[in-house]
Amino acid sequence: MFKKLLICVFCLSVLALAGGGLWLWQGLQTLEQPVALDEPVLFSVPSGSGYGQVARKLEAEGLVGDSLWLKIHGRLYPEQALLKAGEYEFTDGMTSLDMINAMVAGDTKHWQIQFIEGWTFRDMRAALASSERLGQVTADWTDERIMEEMGANGSHPEGRFFPDTYLFTSSETDLDLLRRAFERMEEVLATEWQAKAENLPYDSPYEALIMASIVERETGAVHEREEVAGVFVRRLEKGMRLQTDPTVIYGMGEKYQGRITRKDLRTHTDYNTYRIDGLPPTPIALPGREAIHAALNPAEGDTLYFVARGDGTHKFSKTLAEHQKAVRAFQLNRRSDYRSSPTPSPDTAAEEGDQ
């Protein structure tokens, strides 16, 4: 009798263990089932959150059916319970384990912001301020305060930040991106300076940066940058004034309303290259790498003038007489679809005049 009882208890225990094992296996299998989402969902893991807290939050937000199975999974696989803080994007078809793996790997959601070649530092700051996902630290800072943070106390900010597309996470701030763009410009300028042509009329990489910013603003046609730089370099070498309208516009600041007049050309500012000799005191925009390369590797030749054709390219001339003839052909008799940029857009600044 006692032996039969032991056998019965044993059988019941085996059945219980088998049932429990099946129950556990089936529960854990739910973690590998795809989650149906109508659209991507952003899920935030605050700093200091424990695994259990995250599991409960996933359940509360409808991303898992029962957080119990996630908790058991965390017990069985402790290395899978080490989640990184941040903001994550979960999409349709992901499983609960996919979500956990993303948080273990720290595969946080990235946003992007673009700084455009030819923008001013003011444009750049406006783009940073309008980015909803970016922490705002410098909103009330002066330009001088920003440059102090860059380790360039007393320096003018214009042209010192590299235009590019930057990715960032929700944990980053506008100051982080400014620092990245500043360091990137330092790196690019140093690299291009090392590979510069010989006998250029620049005393420092900063002067080359100034020239690059002018080249950037003068033409949007990539194949013309070296030739434009060549014209300006030869003007400097001959002691001629640069006479470039973008510098005049920059010097006008908010007074510029889309056109410059003869009076504007005659008005003395630190940036009016019709009135000053040599380069302006600072860059006038954010130059891209191609413009920097052009400023440091200008095309050889003997052209000294250029004028916009009206299709986004320019007519280059060797003599003043040739230039005046080109002005009459392309400026005084402008085509109906005249434009000085090869890729016009509603956001592009008003057209500048040319040499």
Side-chain angles (χ1 to χ4, degrees):
M1 182 71 181
F2 181 71
K3 184 177 180 181
K4 290 182 179 180
L5 181 61
L6 286 177
I7 293 173
C8 184
V9 170
F10 176 76
C11 291
L12 288 174
S13 299
V14 170
L15 288 173
L17 287 172
L22 178 63
W23 171 79
L24 180 62
W25 179 82
Q26 290 177 330
L28 292 175
Q29 283 296 108
T30 64
L31 301 180
E32 298 183 20
Q33 296 174 359
V35 177
L37 297 174
D38 294 332
E39 58 185 22
V41 173
L42 290 177
F43 183 80
S44 179
V45 179
S47 180
S49 298
Y51 182 86
Q53 290 176 292
V54 173
R56 288 191 294 273
K57 186 176 180 182
L58 285 167
E59 180 181 354
E61 296 188 14
L63 295 172
V64 298
D66 190 339
S67 63
L68 171 66
W69 305 115
L70 278 179
K71 295 174 184 177
I72 293 175
H73 176 81
R75 292 275 185 169
L76 294 174
Y77 306 98
E79 71 279 3
Q80 289 285 296
L82 303 175
L83 309 182
K84 295 180 175 63
E87 198 163 19
Y88 297 85
E89 184 177 63
F90 300 146
T91 56
D92 183 54
M94 292 182 71
T95 68
S96 300
L97 290 184
D98 290 335
M99 298 176 188
I100 291 298
N101 289 334
M103 291 182 281
V104 170
D107 187 14
T108 54
K109 168 68 175 176
H110 285 75
W111 284 268
Q112 68 177 35
I113 189 170
Q114 188 174 23
F115 305 137
I116 307 297
E117 293 91 342
W119 271 10
T120 63
F121 186 59
R122 178 182 295 182
D123 295 329
M124 184 180 177
R125 292 197 67 178
L128 288 168
S130 65
S131 180
E132 296 179 358
R133 292 289 179 178
L134 192 61
Q136 300 296 321
V137 172
T138 70
D140 298 326
W141 288 12
T142 63
D143 289 353
E144 291 75 15
R145 171 74 185 282
I146 290 175
M147 295 309 290
E148 288 177 10
E149 289 293 324
M150 298 301 110
N153 190 23
S155 298
H156 197 282
E158 200 66 79
R160 300 296 301 276
F161 299 83
F162 191 73
D164 203 350
T165 299
Y166 293 87
L167 299 179
F168 64 92
T169 67
S170 58
S171 64
E172 293 184 274
T173 69
D174 54 354
L175 181 60
D176 293 323
L177 288 188
L178 283 167
R179 187 171 287 112
R180 285 165 58 187
F182 180 83
E183 291 173 354
R184 178 63 174 151
M185 179 59 85
E186 293 282 284
E187 174 189 335
V188 169
L189 185 58
T191 300
E192 292 293 338
W193 181 260
Q194 290 299 317
K196 70 181 186 300
E198 297 181 355
N199 302 317
L200 294 175
Y202 312 132
D203 292 330
S204 66
Y206 187 67
E207 289 189 353
L209 188 66
I210 295 173
M211 177 65 81
S213 73
I214 297 173
V215 172
E216 188 70 71
R217 292 296 294 140
E218 272 290 5
T219 181
V222 176
H223 67 278
E224 288 188 342
R225 286 175 176 146
E226 283 81 4
E227 193 163 3
V228 169
V231 167
F232 288 138
V233 165
R234 286 187 287 276
R235 281 176 168 257
L236 288 178
E237 291 173 339
K238 291 177 179 293
M240 298 173 65
R241 287 177 175 170
L242 296 183
Q243 295 185 327
T244 168
D245 292 0
T247 63
V248 178
I249 293 169
Y250 186 83
M252 292 173 65
E254 295 183 358
K255 293 180 181 178
Y256 177 66
Q257 298 298 318
R259 296 187 65 85
I260 54 177
T261 65
R262 292 185 180 277
K263 179 181 178 181
D264 296 324
L265 297 179
R266 291 193 298 267
T267 301
H268 187 282
T269 73
D270 290 341
Y271 291 88
N272 186 347
T273 52
Y274 287 85
R275 302 289 292 162
I276 65 171
D277 297 328
L279 294 165
T282 75
I284 61 172
L286 306 178
R289 184 163 203 150
E290 291 79 6
I292 296 172
H293 182 81
L296 288 166
N297 297 274
E300 296 181 359
D302 49 10
T303 54
L304 291 170
Y305 307 89
F306 60 89
V307 64
R309 297 176 185 270
D311 63 354
T313 65
H314 294 81
K315 168 65 176 176
F316 293 83
S317 302
K318 299 176 183 179
T319 68
L320 181 58
E322 290 178 2
H323 176 63
Q324 290 173 334
K325 181 179 179 181
V327 169
R328 288 192 294 271
F330 297 111
Q331 292 289 311
L332 301 184
N333 298 295
R334 290 192 174 193
R335 49 197 286 175
S336 59
D337 60 345
Y338 178 93
R339 54 188 173 84
S340 63
S341 169
T343 54
S345 70
D347 296 329
T348 301
E351 307 290 6
E352 295 94 18
D354 295 87
Q355 310 318 299

Short mmCIF file of all heavy atoms in Angstrom, two decimals, residues 118-124 143 147 155-161 185 206 209-210 213 250 271 282-287:
data_model
loop_
_atom_site.label_atom_id
_atom_site.label_comp_id
_atom_site.label_asym_id
_atom_site.label_seq_id
_atom_site.Cartn_x
_atom_site.Cartn_y
_atom_site.Cartn_z
N GLY A 118 27.05 77.39 -46.54
CA GLY A 118 26.63 78.75 -46.88
C GLY A 118 25.75 79.40 -45.84
O GLY A 118 25.49 80.60 -45.91
N TRP A 119 25.28 78.61 -44.86
CA TRP A 119 24.52 79.20 -43.76
C TRP A 119 25.42 80.11 -42.93
O TRP A 119 26.65 79.93 -42.88
CB TRP A 119 23.99 78.11 -42.84
CG TRP A 119 22.65 77.57 -43.22
CD1 TRP A 119 21.95 77.80 -44.37
CD2 TRP A 119 21.85 76.68 -42.43
NE1 TRP A 119 20.78 77.10 -44.36
CE2 TRP A 119 20.69 76.41 -43.17
CE3 TRP A 119 22.02 76.08 -41.20
CZ2 TRP A 119 19.69 75.57 -42.70
CZ3 TRP A 119 21.02 75.24 -40.72
CH2 TRP A 119 19.87 74.99 -41.47
N THR A 120 24.80 81.04 -42.22
CA THR A 120 25.53 81.81 -41.23
C THR A 120 25.40 81.12 -39.87
O THR A 120 24.59 80.19 -39.70
CB THR A 120 24.97 83.24 -41.11
OG1 THR A 120 23.60 83.16 -40.65
CG2 THR A 120 25.03 83.96 -42.45
N PHE A 121 26.19 81.57 -38.92
CA PHE A 121 26.11 81.00 -37.57
C PHE A 121 24.73 81.26 -36.99
O PHE A 121 24.20 80.44 -36.24
CB PHE A 121 27.20 81.62 -36.69
CG PHE A 121 27.28 80.99 -35.32
CD1 PHE A 121 27.52 79.64 -35.17
CD2 PHE A 121 27.11 81.76 -34.17
CE1 PHE A 121 27.60 79.05 -33.91
CE2 PHE A 121 27.20 81.18 -32.91
CZ PHE A 121 27.44 79.83 -32.78
N ARG A 122 24.13 82.40 -37.34
CA ARG A 122 22.76 82.69 -36.87
C ARG A 122 21.79 81.65 -37.39
O ARG A 122 20.90 81.19 -36.66
CB ARG A 122 22.34 84.09 -37.33
CG ARG A 122 20.91 84.44 -36.93
CD ARG A 122 20.51 85.81 -37.44
NE ARG A 122 21.32 86.87 -36.83
CZ ARG A 122 21.14 88.16 -37.10
NH1 ARG A 122 20.23 88.55 -37.97
NH2 ARG A 122 21.90 89.06 -36.50
N ASP A 123 21.92 81.27 -38.65
CA ASP A 123 21.07 80.22 -39.22
C ASP A 123 21.24 78.91 -38.46
O ASP A 123 20.27 78.19 -38.18
CB ASP A 123 21.40 79.99 -40.69
CG ASP A 123 21.12 81.19 -41.58
OD1 ASP A 123 20.19 81.94 -41.27
OD2 ASP A 123 21.85 81.37 -42.58
N MET A 124 22.48 78.61 -38.14
CA MET A 124 22.80 77.37 -37.44
C MET A 124 22.15 77.35 -36.05
O MET A 124 21.55 76.35 -35.65
CB MET A 124 24.31 77.23 -37.33
CG MET A 124 24.78 75.93 -36.70
SD MET A 124 26.60 75.89 -36.62
CE MET A 124 26.84 74.33 -35.78
N ASP A 143 27.05 84.60 -28.36
CA ASP A 143 28.03 83.93 -29.22
C ASP A 143 29.38 83.81 -28.51
O ASP A 143 30.08 82.80 -28.64
CB ASP A 143 28.21 84.71 -30.53
CG ASP A 143 26.99 84.62 -31.43
OD1 ASP A 143 26.06 83.85 -31.11
OD2 ASP A 143 26.97 85.33 -32.46
N MET A 147 31.70 80.42 -27.77
CA MET A 147 33.09 80.25 -28.19
C MET A 147 34.00 79.97 -27.00
O MET A 147 34.99 79.25 -27.12
CB MET A 147 33.57 81.48 -28.96
CG MET A 147 32.84 81.70 -30.29
SD MET A 147 32.79 80.21 -31.34
CE MET A 147 34.52 80.09 -31.82
N SER A 155 37.25 84.42 -30.04
CA SER A 155 37.15 84.17 -31.47
C SER A 155 35.74 84.43 -31.97
O SER A 155 34.75 84.24 -31.26
CB SER A 155 37.54 82.72 -31.79
OG SER A 155 38.87 82.46 -31.42
N HIS A 156 35.64 84.86 -33.21
CA HIS A 156 34.36 85.06 -33.86
C HIS A 156 33.80 83.69 -34.27
O HIS A 156 34.54 82.86 -34.79
CB HIS A 156 34.55 85.95 -35.09
CG HIS A 156 33.28 86.56 -35.61
ND1 HIS A 156 32.38 85.85 -36.37
CD2 HIS A 156 32.76 87.80 -35.49
CE1 HIS A 156 31.36 86.63 -36.68
NE2 HIS A 156 31.57 87.82 -36.16
N PRO A 157 32.50 83.42 -34.08
CA PRO A 157 31.97 82.08 -34.36
C PRO A 157 31.73 81.80 -35.83
O PRO A 157 31.65 80.63 -36.23
CB PRO A 157 30.64 82.07 -33.59
CG PRO A 157 30.21 83.51 -33.59
CD PRO A 157 31.49 84.30 -33.44
N GLU A 158 31.61 82.85 -36.65
CA GLU A 158 31.24 82.62 -38.05
C GLU A 158 32.24 81.73 -38.77
O GLU A 158 33.45 81.94 -38.70
CB GLU A 158 31.13 83.96 -38.79
CG GLU A 158 30.30 83.87 -40.06
CD GLU A 158 28.85 83.58 -39.76
OE1 GLU A 158 28.11 84.50 -39.38
OE2 GLU A 158 28.45 82.39 -39.90
N GLY A 159 31.74 80.71 -39.45
CA GLY A 159 32.58 79.84 -40.24
C GLY A 159 33.36 78.80 -39.46
O GLY A 159 34.07 77.99 -40.05
N ARG A 160 33.23 78.77 -38.15
CA ARG A 160 34.06 77.87 -37.33
C ARG A 160 33.41 76.51 -37.09
O ARG A 160 34.00 75.67 -36.41
CB ARG A 160 34.36 78.54 -35.98
CG ARG A 160 35.10 79.87 -36.08
CD ARG A 160 36.49 79.70 -36.67
NE ARG A 160 37.32 78.81 -35.90
CZ ARG A 160 38.03 79.17 -34.82
NH1 ARG A 160 37.99 80.43 -34.40
NH2 ARG A 160 38.79 78.30 -34.19
N PHE A 161 32.23 76.29 -37.63
CA PHE A 161 31.49 75.05 -37.39
C PHE A 161 31.22 74.36 -38.73
O PHE A 161 30.80 75.00 -39.69
CB PHE A 161 30.18 75.35 -36.66
CG PHE A 161 30.39 75.99 -35.31
CD1 PHE A 161 30.60 77.36 -35.21
CD2 PHE A 161 30.42 75.23 -34.16
CE1 PHE A 161 30.82 77.97 -33.99
CE2 PHE A 161 30.64 75.82 -32.93
CZ PHE A 161 30.84 77.19 -32.83
N MET A 185 35.21 70.91 -37.86
CA MET A 185 35.79 71.96 -38.71
C MET A 185 37.29 72.09 -38.45
O MET A 185 38.07 72.23 -39.40
CB MET A 185 35.10 73.30 -38.48
CG MET A 185 35.67 74.44 -39.33
SD MET A 185 35.57 74.13 -41.12
CE MET A 185 33.89 74.71 -41.44
N TYR A 206 43.17 80.12 -40.84
CA TYR A 206 41.97 80.94 -40.64
C TYR A 206 41.71 81.83 -41.85
O TYR A 206 40.56 82.01 -42.26
CB TYR A 206 42.11 81.78 -39.37
CG TYR A 206 40.85 82.54 -39.01
CD1 TYR A 206 39.71 81.86 -38.59
CD2 TYR A 206 40.80 83.93 -39.07
CE1 TYR A 206 38.56 82.54 -38.25
CE2 TYR A 206 39.65 84.62 -38.73
CZ TYR A 206 38.53 83.92 -38.32
OH TYR A 206 37.37 84.60 -37.99
N LEU A 209 40.12 79.83 -44.37
CA LEU A 209 38.72 79.60 -44.01
C LEU A 209 37.87 80.79 -44.44
O LEU A 209 36.74 80.61 -44.92
CB LEU A 209 38.61 79.38 -42.51
CG LEU A 209 37.24 78.93 -41.99
CD1 LEU A 209 36.90 77.54 -42.50
CD2 LEU A 209 37.23 78.94 -40.45
N ILE A 210 38.40 81.98 -44.28
CA ILE A 210 37.68 83.18 -44.73
C ILE A 210 37.44 83.11 -46.23
O ILE A 210 36.32 83.34 -46.72
CB ILE A 210 38.47 84.46 -44.37
CG1 ILE A 210 38.56 84.62 -42.85
CG2 ILE A 210 37.80 85.69 -44.99
CD1 ILE A 210 39.47 85.76 -42.41
N SER A 213 34.79 80.58 -47.20
CA SER A 213 33.42 81.03 -46.97
C SER A 213 32.94 81.93 -48.11
O SER A 213 31.76 81.89 -48.48
CB SER A 213 33.31 81.77 -45.63
OG SER A 213 33.92 83.06 -45.67
N TYR A 250 26.90 90.50 -46.08
CA TYR A 250 27.17 90.08 -44.71
C TYR A 250 27.41 91.30 -43.82
O TYR A 250 26.91 91.36 -42.69
CB TYR A 250 28.38 89.14 -44.65
CG TYR A 250 28.61 88.56 -43.28
CD1 TYR A 250 27.90 87.43 -42.87
CD2 TYR A 250 29.53 89.12 -42.40
CE1 TYR A 250 28.11 86.88 -41.61
CE2 TYR A 250 29.74 88.57 -41.15
CZ TYR A 250 29.02 87.46 -40.75
OH TYR A 250 29.22 86.93 -39.49
N TYR A 271 33.42 94.56 -43.80
CA TYR A 271 33.26 93.43 -44.72
C TYR A 271 33.05 93.86 -46.18
O TYR A 271 32.98 92.99 -47.05
CB TYR A 271 32.07 92.56 -44.28
CG TYR A 271 32.34 91.83 -42.99
CD1 TYR A 271 32.06 92.42 -41.76
CD2 TYR A 271 32.87 90.55 -42.99
CE1 TYR A 271 32.31 91.77 -40.56
CE2 TYR A 271 33.13 89.88 -41.80
CZ TYR A 271 32.85 90.48 -40.59
OH TYR A 271 33.11 89.83 -39.42
N THR A 282 36.61 88.16 -40.87
CA THR A 282 36.16 86.82 -40.46
C THR A 282 35.49 86.15 -41.66
O THR A 282 35.17 86.79 -42.66
CB THR A 282 35.13 86.88 -39.31
OG1 THR A 282 33.86 87.32 -39.84
CG2 THR A 282 35.57 87.82 -38.20
N PRO A 283 35.25 84.85 -41.55
CA PRO A 283 34.41 84.20 -42.56
C PRO A 283 33.02 84.85 -42.59
O PRO A 283 32.61 85.51 -41.63
CB PRO A 283 34.35 82.74 -42.09
CG PRO A 283 35.59 82.56 -41.27
CD PRO A 283 35.78 83.88 -40.57
N ILE A 284 32.30 84.60 -43.66
CA ILE A 284 30.95 85.17 -43.80
C ILE A 284 29.88 84.08 -43.81
O ILE A 284 28.69 84.39 -43.92
CB ILE A 284 30.83 86.03 -45.07
CG1 ILE A 284 31.09 85.17 -46.32
CG2 ILE A 284 31.79 87.22 -45.00
CD1 ILE A 284 30.79 85.89 -47.63
N ALA A 285 30.29 82.82 -43.72
CA ALA A 285 29.34 81.71 -43.77
C ALA A 285 30.04 80.42 -43.35
O ALA A 285 31.24 80.41 -43.08
CB ALA A 285 28.77 81.57 -45.18
N LEU A 286 29.26 79.34 -43.32
CA LEU A 286 29.82 78.02 -43.05
C LEU A 286 30.29 77.40 -44.36
O LEU A 286 29.47 77.05 -45.20
CB LEU A 286 28.75 77.09 -42.45
CG LEU A 286 27.99 77.53 -41.20
CD1 LEU A 286 26.96 76.46 -40.83
CD2 LEU A 286 28.93 77.76 -40.04
N PRO A 287 31.58 77.27 -44.58
CA PRO A 287 32.05 76.63 -45.81
C PRO A 287 32.13 75.12 -45.66
O PRO A 287 32.52 74.60 -44.62
CB PRO A 287 33.45 77.24 -45.99
CG PRO A 287 33.92 77.50 -44.59
CD PRO A 287 32.68 77.83 -43.78
#
